[in-house]
Amino acid sequence: MLSAKQLTCIRNQRVLFENLSFSVQSGQLMYLTGPNGAGKSTLLRSLVGLHQLQQGNIELSQEPIEDCGADILFIGHKAAVNEWLSARQNIEHWFGLKDQIVDPQQLINKVGLAGLADIPVRFLSAGQKRRVALVRLWASDAKLWVLDEPFTSIDVTGVSVLNQLFERHKKHGGIVVVTSHQVLPESLVDVTLNLEYRF
């Protein structure tokens, strides 16, 4: 279970959220909604220990989130790929950090980038770069997926494939926390959390 209790975040002297509490069970997806500037990306970064809150406690499986790095996969709004490396080299780097053995070419084929494996990422389109970043979902063994706008620059087919991946992760007992301007299927969403813009 992912548990967040009494979270408070203040940025630039503005309260983004205050005394915010929620929980997401294993096998559930939480859909985070709200207008631009409401603090969605900040909350997601806080959930993976990348942003320090003024107050609050976040736990995954009853362990402090700071101690759960191996159980978390975070993909932010930006592609966060090394554009000087190829798709294959990015994949080898990511999974090498976890000593996880994967077949880079198989993963590249799964995301529709066959034939582009060895081209520097900087020469790929925005959608192709996004696909490189999302490769990590296909072979991730992390319990918690935290995804900020994963559908950015992704076509209709790609959206459908991602939704299927979310469903598969849930069936295996994983947790998904996602924010997106793309409306998610109601059948996929178990918890909805709406952040309001605070003046």
Side-chain angles (χ1 to χ4, degrees):
M1 180 178 73
L2 174 67
S3 172
K5 297 179 181 178
Q6 303 296 308
L7 307 186
T8 296
C9 178
I10 303 172
R11 294 190 67 180
N12 300 322
Q13 299 182 328
R14 183 169 73 87
V15 177
L16 293 181
F17 45 85
E18 186 175 20
N19 297 323
L20 177 65
S21 299
F22 59 86
S23 63
V24 190
Q25 304 291 330
S26 295
Q28 290 189 328
L29 180 146
M30 184 174 84
Y31 181 29
L32 179 60
T33 65
N36 291 337
K40 299 189 298 297
S41 293
T42 299
L43 176 57
L44 294 186
R45 290 176 62 82
S46 300
L47 292 180
V48 299
L50 294 177
H51 182 82
Q52 187 172 6
L53 297 165
Q54 277 67 39
Q55 175 183 306
N57 180 49
I58 303 172
E59 294 183 345
L60 178 63
S61 301
Q62 299 183 327
E63 295 290 336
I65 202 69
E66 296 84 2
D67 299 334
C68 300
D71 287 326
I72 301 171
L73 172 65
F74 173 66
I75 299 179
H77 180 63
K78 295 182 179 180
V81 297
N82 187 326
E83 297 201 357
W84 293 94
L85 300 180
S86 66
R88 186 190 307 278
Q89 290 169 324
N90 272 284
I91 292 168
E92 290 171 345
H93 171 70
W94 291 328
F95 291 101
L97 291 173
K98 299 181 66 176
D99 294 323
Q100 186 176 347
I101 298 174
V102 298
D103 182 344
Q105 190 60 54
Q106 183 183 57
L107 292 175
I108 287 166
N109 293 343
K110 282 182 179 292
V111 296
L113 295 176
L116 302 174
D118 298 307
I119 296 175
V121 171
R122 66 183 182 275
F123 295 122
L124 302 182
S125 70
Q128 290 168 336
K129 291 176 184 177
R130 194 66 178 170
R131 286 173 182 266
V132 174
L134 294 171
V135 157
R136 285 169 281 182
L137 295 176
W138 268 262
S140 172
D141 57 2
K143 180 178 180 61
L144 171 63
W145 291 0
V146 179
L147 311 171
D148 191 352
E149 299 291 348
F151 302 109
T152 300
S153 302
I154 296 296
D155 59 21
V156 174
T157 300
V159 169
S160 177
V161 170
L162 283 178
N163 285 335
Q164 291 173 32
L165 279 175
F166 297 163
E167 191 64 56
R168 186 186 73 179
H169 190 56
K170 289 173 53 180
K171 287 181 179 178
H172 285 89
I175 299 170
V176 183
V177 178
V178 60
T179 182
S180 174
H181 293 298
Q182 173 85 30
V183 178
L184 298 180
E186 289 186 10
S187 60
L188 189 62
V189 177
D190 302 288
V191 180
T192 299
L193 176 63
N194 182 60
L195 293 184
E196 298 181 356
Y197 187 91
R198 300 172 64 127
F199 295 92

PDB file of all heavy atoms in Angstrom, residues 128-141:
ATOM      1  N   GLN A 128       8.763   9.713 -30.532  1.00  0.00           N
ATOM      2  CA  GLN A 128       9.727   8.616 -30.473  1.00  0.00           C
ATOM      3  C   GLN A 128      10.591   8.710 -29.221  1.00  0.00           C
ATOM      4  O   GLN A 128      10.891   7.706 -28.582  1.00  0.00           O
ATOM      5  CB  GLN A 128      10.592   8.624 -31.731  1.00  0.00           C
ATOM      6  CG  GLN A 128       9.831   8.213 -32.978  1.00  0.00           C
ATOM      7  CD  GLN A 128      10.600   8.495 -34.259  1.00  0.00           C
ATOM      8  OE1 GLN A 128      11.475   9.370 -34.306  1.00  0.00           O
ATOM      9  NE2 GLN A 128      10.271   7.762 -35.312  1.00  0.00           N
ATOM     10  N   LYS A 129      10.962   9.934 -28.841  1.00  0.00           N
ATOM     11  CA  LYS A 129      11.728  10.115 -27.600  1.00  0.00           C
ATOM     12  C   LYS A 129      10.908   9.646 -26.401  1.00  0.00           C
ATOM     13  O   LYS A 129      11.438   9.027 -25.467  1.00  0.00           O
ATOM     14  CB  LYS A 129      12.111  11.583 -27.430  1.00  0.00           C
ATOM     15  CG  LYS A 129      13.142  12.086 -28.422  1.00  0.00           C
ATOM     16  CD  LYS A 129      13.399  13.580 -28.237  1.00  0.00           C
ATOM     17  CE  LYS A 129      14.367  14.100 -29.289  1.00  0.00           C
ATOM     18  NZ  LYS A 129      14.581  15.567 -29.182  1.00  0.00           N
ATOM     19  N   ARG A 130       9.623   9.964 -26.437  1.00  0.00           N
ATOM     20  CA  ARG A 130       8.757   9.551 -25.337  1.00  0.00           C
ATOM     21  C   ARG A 130       8.676   8.031 -25.256  1.00  0.00           C
ATOM     22  O   ARG A 130       8.669   7.441 -24.177  1.00  0.00           O
ATOM     23  CB  ARG A 130       7.357  10.144 -25.529  1.00  0.00           C
ATOM     24  CG  ARG A 130       6.477  10.048 -24.285  1.00  0.00           C
ATOM     25  CD  ARG A 130       7.046  10.900 -23.184  1.00  0.00           C
ATOM     26  NE  ARG A 130       6.223  10.873 -21.988  1.00  0.00           N
ATOM     27  CZ  ARG A 130       6.586  11.383 -20.831  1.00  0.00           C
ATOM     28  NH1 ARG A 130       7.762  11.955 -20.695  1.00  0.00           N
ATOM     29  NH2 ARG A 130       5.793  11.334 -19.784  1.00  0.00           N
ATOM     30  N   ARG A 131       8.628   7.389 -26.412  1.00  0.00           N
ATOM     31  CA  ARG A 131       8.588   5.928 -26.445  1.00  0.00           C
ATOM     32  C   ARG A 131       9.857   5.326 -25.848  1.00  0.00           C
ATOM     33  O   ARG A 131       9.805   4.298 -25.155  1.00  0.00           O
ATOM     34  CB  ARG A 131       8.384   5.432 -27.875  1.00  0.00           C
ATOM     35  CG  ARG A 131       6.969   5.638 -28.388  1.00  0.00           C
ATOM     36  CD  ARG A 131       6.868   5.294 -29.871  1.00  0.00           C
ATOM     37  NE  ARG A 131       5.535   5.541 -30.374  1.00  0.00           N
ATOM     38  CZ  ARG A 131       4.575   4.628 -30.442  1.00  0.00           C
ATOM     39  NH1 ARG A 131       4.813   3.399 -30.026  1.00  0.00           N
ATOM     40  NH2 ARG A 131       3.390   4.921 -30.923  1.00  0.00           N
ATOM     41  N   VAL A 132      10.989   5.958 -26.121  1.00  0.00           N
ATOM     42  CA  VAL A 132      12.242   5.480 -25.527  1.00  0.00           C
ATOM     43  C   VAL A 132      12.144   5.536 -24.003  1.00  0.00           C
ATOM     44  O   VAL A 132      12.508   4.583 -23.301  1.00  0.00           O
ATOM     45  CB  VAL A 132      13.449   6.316 -26.018  1.00  0.00           C
ATOM     46  CG1 VAL A 132      14.718   5.906 -25.268  1.00  0.00           C
ATOM     47  CG2 VAL A 132      13.658   6.142 -27.518  1.00  0.00           C
ATOM     48  N   ALA A 133      11.639   6.642 -23.474  1.00  0.00           N
ATOM     49  CA  ALA A 133      11.508   6.793 -22.019  1.00  0.00           C
ATOM     50  C   ALA A 133      10.576   5.736 -21.430  1.00  0.00           C
ATOM     51  O   ALA A 133      10.836   5.180 -20.355  1.00  0.00           O
ATOM     52  CB  ALA A 133      10.996   8.190 -21.686  1.00  0.00           C
ATOM     53  N   LEU A 134       9.496   5.437 -22.157  1.00  0.00           N
ATOM     54  CA  LEU A 134       8.482   4.517 -21.647  1.00  0.00           C
ATOM     55  C   LEU A 134       8.884   3.055 -21.767  1.00  0.00           C
ATOM     56  O   LEU A 134       8.193   2.176 -21.241  1.00  0.00           O
ATOM     57  CB  LEU A 134       7.155   4.761 -22.370  1.00  0.00           C
ATOM     58  CG  LEU A 134       6.505   6.125 -22.089  1.00  0.00           C
ATOM     59  CD1 LEU A 134       5.322   6.361 -23.021  1.00  0.00           C
ATOM     60  CD2 LEU A 134       6.070   6.240 -20.638  1.00  0.00           C
ATOM     61  N   VAL A 135       9.993   2.783 -22.452  1.00  0.00           N
ATOM     62  CA  VAL A 135      10.499   1.409 -22.556  1.00  0.00           C
ATOM     63  C   VAL A 135      10.600   0.772 -21.167  1.00  0.00           C
ATOM     64  O   VAL A 135      10.363  -0.422 -20.990  1.00  0.00           O
ATOM     65  CB  VAL A 135      11.885   1.396 -23.243  1.00  0.00           C
ATOM     66  CG1 VAL A 135      12.675   0.145 -22.878  1.00  0.00           C
ATOM     67  CG2 VAL A 135      11.738   1.467 -24.752  1.00  0.00           C
ATOM     68  N   ARG A 136      10.935   1.583 -20.163  1.00  0.00           N
ATOM     69  CA  ARG A 136      11.148   1.056 -18.815  1.00  0.00           C
ATOM     70  C   ARG A 136       9.916   0.354 -18.255  1.00  0.00           C
ATOM     71  O   ARG A 136      10.018  -0.542 -17.409  1.00  0.00           O
ATOM     72  CB  ARG A 136      11.578   2.190 -17.890  1.00  0.00           C
ATOM     73  CG  ARG A 136      13.023   2.617 -18.094  1.00  0.00           C
ATOM     74  CD  ARG A 136      13.361   3.886 -17.371  1.00  0.00           C
ATOM     75  NE  ARG A 136      12.876   5.057 -18.090  1.00  0.00           N
ATOM     76  CZ  ARG A 136      13.078   6.302 -17.681  1.00  0.00           C
ATOM     77  NH1 ARG A 136      13.722   6.540 -16.567  1.00  0.00           N
ATOM     78  NH2 ARG A 136      12.629   7.316 -18.396  1.00  0.00           N
ATOM     79  N   LEU A 137       8.733   0.736 -18.717  1.00  0.00           N
ATOM     80  CA  LEU A 137       7.512   0.103 -18.215  1.00  0.00           C
ATOM     81  C   LEU A 137       7.417  -1.368 -18.617  1.00  0.00           C
ATOM     82  O   LEU A 137       6.860  -2.178 -17.885  1.00  0.00           O
ATOM     83  CB  LEU A 137       6.276   0.853 -18.737  1.00  0.00           C
ATOM     84  CG  LEU A 137       6.091   2.297 -18.269  1.00  0.00           C
ATOM     85  CD1 LEU A 137       4.878   2.909 -18.955  1.00  0.00           C
ATOM     86  CD2 LEU A 137       5.941   2.369 -16.761  1.00  0.00           C
ATOM     87  N   TRP A 138       7.939  -1.696 -19.787  1.00  0.00           N
ATOM     88  CA  TRP A 138       7.784  -3.054 -20.301  1.00  0.00           C
ATOM     89  C   TRP A 138       8.563  -4.085 -19.489  1.00  0.00           C
ATOM     90  O   TRP A 138       8.207  -5.252 -19.450  1.00  0.00           O
ATOM     91  CB  TRP A 138       8.208  -3.128 -21.773  1.00  0.00           C
ATOM     92  CG  TRP A 138       7.081  -2.915 -22.712  1.00  0.00           C
ATOM     93  CD1 TRP A 138       6.346  -3.877 -23.369  1.00  0.00           C
ATOM     94  CD2 TRP A 138       6.516  -1.671 -23.130  1.00  0.00           C
ATOM     95  NE1 TRP A 138       5.376  -3.300 -24.150  1.00  0.00           N
ATOM     96  CE2 TRP A 138       5.459  -1.946 -24.019  1.00  0.00           C
ATOM     97  CE3 TRP A 138       6.803  -0.339 -22.829  1.00  0.00           C
ATOM     98  CZ2 TRP A 138       4.704  -0.942 -24.619  1.00  0.00           C
ATOM     99  CZ3 TRP A 138       6.059   0.656 -23.418  1.00  0.00           C
ATOM    100  CH2 TRP A 138       5.015   0.339 -24.306  1.00  0.00           C
ATOM    101  N   ALA A 139       9.652  -3.661 -18.858  1.00  0.00           N
ATOM    102  CA  ALA A 139      10.486  -4.619 -18.121  1.00  0.00           C
ATOM    103  C   ALA A 139      10.667  -4.231 -16.661  1.00  0.00           C
ATOM    104  O   ALA A 139      11.537  -4.762 -15.986  1.00  0.00           O
ATOM    105  CB  ALA A 139      11.848  -4.748 -18.800  1.00  0.00           C
ATOM    106  N   SER A 140       9.828  -3.331 -16.173  1.00  0.00           N
ATOM    107  CA  SER A 140       9.993  -2.856 -14.801  1.00  0.00           C
ATOM    108  C   SER A 140       9.510  -3.893 -13.792  1.00  0.00           C
ATOM    109  O   SER A 140       8.446  -4.496 -13.952  1.00  0.00           O
ATOM    110  CB  SER A 140       9.186  -1.561 -14.597  1.00  0.00           C
ATOM    111  OG  SER A 140       9.193  -1.193 -13.232  1.00  0.00           O
ATOM    112  N   ASP A 141      10.312  -4.085 -12.745  1.00  0.00           N
ATOM    113  CA  ASP A 141       9.894  -4.944 -11.642  1.00  0.00           C
ATOM    114  C   ASP A 141       9.568  -4.119 -10.401  1.00  0.00           C
ATOM    115  O   ASP A 141       9.459  -4.642  -9.302  1.00  0.00           O
ATOM    116  CB  ASP A 141      10.961  -5.992 -11.325  1.00  0.00           C
ATOM    117  CG  ASP A 141      12.319  -5.374 -11.001  1.00  0.00           C
ATOM    118  OD1 ASP A 141      12.420  -4.125 -10.981  1.00  0.00           O
ATOM    119  OD2 ASP A 141      13.277  -6.135 -10.776  1.00  0.00           O
TER     120      ASP A 141
END
